[in-house]
Amino acid sequence: MGKTPKHITITGDLGSGKSSMATRLTEKYGATRVSTGAVQRELATTLGMTTLELNQRADSDPTIDQQIDGIFASLASREDLLVVDSRMAWHFLPQSFKICLTVDPMVAAKRIWEHQRAGEGYATVEECLTAINARKASERARFWRTYGVRLEDEANYDLVIDTTTLPADDVAALLFAGYDKACA
């Protein structure tokens, strides 16, 4: 990276462990956490729709992304260390330590189905997998069209970890080691 990153951004596949790893990073480094996922879920609930429906609406309504992405405008100038859990934070905060977590789609569906959040009423793991794939496709197409970026391009990130078979403690250890090395 060349110089100490100002913030930590974490992105990746749905169900890859972004939220739990963002929490661990926040606790380990005494950082302030910003979660775009929480903002998106809150907006979806306010509008009376699921997160998938919100993503689909964003395909034709640019104000959705503008509302969600707008929070990043002021983050780069923050002096306190931030851990930003967001699909696009790495793009908006290029001087950050950029983490991407990946996971097998079926493993992700099982994780999400077992720990459903408000607004995610999946009846089966298969229904969850279908929704994950639809949301992922929607976001990839929209982010390419809107920002000219490909989320799946690992060159965008400083550290990429496949969490499919790794215990959470091992993933956290890899994250801490990667960030500590970047700050050395």
Side-chain angles (χ1 to χ4, degrees):
M1 286 195 56
K3 69 179 204 174
T4 301
K6 190 169 186 181
H7 302 299
I8 300 169
T9 54
I10 186 166
T11 190
D13 296 330
L14 299 165
S16 63
K18 291 180 308 299
S19 295
S20 60
M21 290 304 118
T23 297
R24 288 186 186 217
L25 287 161
T26 299
E27 292 169 355
K28 167 92 172 158
Y29 297 105
T32 301
R33 182 170 176 195
V34 178
S35 172
T36 304
V39 170
Q40 185 180 32
R41 284 187 291 279
E42 185 176 318
L43 180 58
T45 300
T46 300
L47 296 173
M49 57 182 61
T50 67
T51 53
L52 174 58
E53 291 167 335
L54 182 69
N55 268 295
Q56 290 169 335
R57 184 177 193 178
D59 286 339
S60 61
D61 182 354
T63 65
I64 300 294
D65 279 335
Q66 290 167 2
Q67 289 179 62
I68 294 169
D69 297 341
I71 66 169
F72 294 104
S74 63
L75 295 182
S77 64
R78 294 262 304 256
E79 292 300 319
D80 56 326
L81 176 63
L82 299 177
V83 172
V84 184
D85 172 3
S86 165
R87 221 58 94 236
M88 289 294 296
W90 61 271
H91 178 71
F92 293 111
L93 299 167
Q95 298 305 313
S96 64
F97 181 70
K98 298 173 279 300
I99 298 166
C100 179
L101 302 180
T102 64
V103 66
D104 175 86
M106 183 51 82
V107 171
K110 288 176 183 174
R111 289 176 182 173
I112 292 169
W113 187 75
E114 290 171 359
H115 306 317
Q116 291 185 59
R117 298 176 179 134
E120 295 179 340
Y122 307 117
T124 65
V125 172
E126 291 74 19
E127 180 184 330
C128 184
L129 179 61
T130 299
I132 288 169
N133 287 335
R135 182 172 165 193
K136 191 174 189 177
S138 169
E139 288 177 346
R140 282 185 172 176
R142 192 171 71 252
F143 295 152
W144 173 249
R145 183 178 63 248
T146 305
Y147 305 109
V149 298
R150 297 201 186 281
L151 297 177
E152 66 276 12
D153 184 353
E154 292 185 1
N156 294 324
Y157 312 106
D158 299 306
L159 180 62
V160 178
I161 300 172
D162 183 343
T163 68
T164 300
T165 61
L166 288 176
D169 288 342
D170 291 355
V171 175
L174 290 168
L175 295 178
F176 300 156
Y179 181 69
D180 291 344
K181 182 177 179 183
C183 292

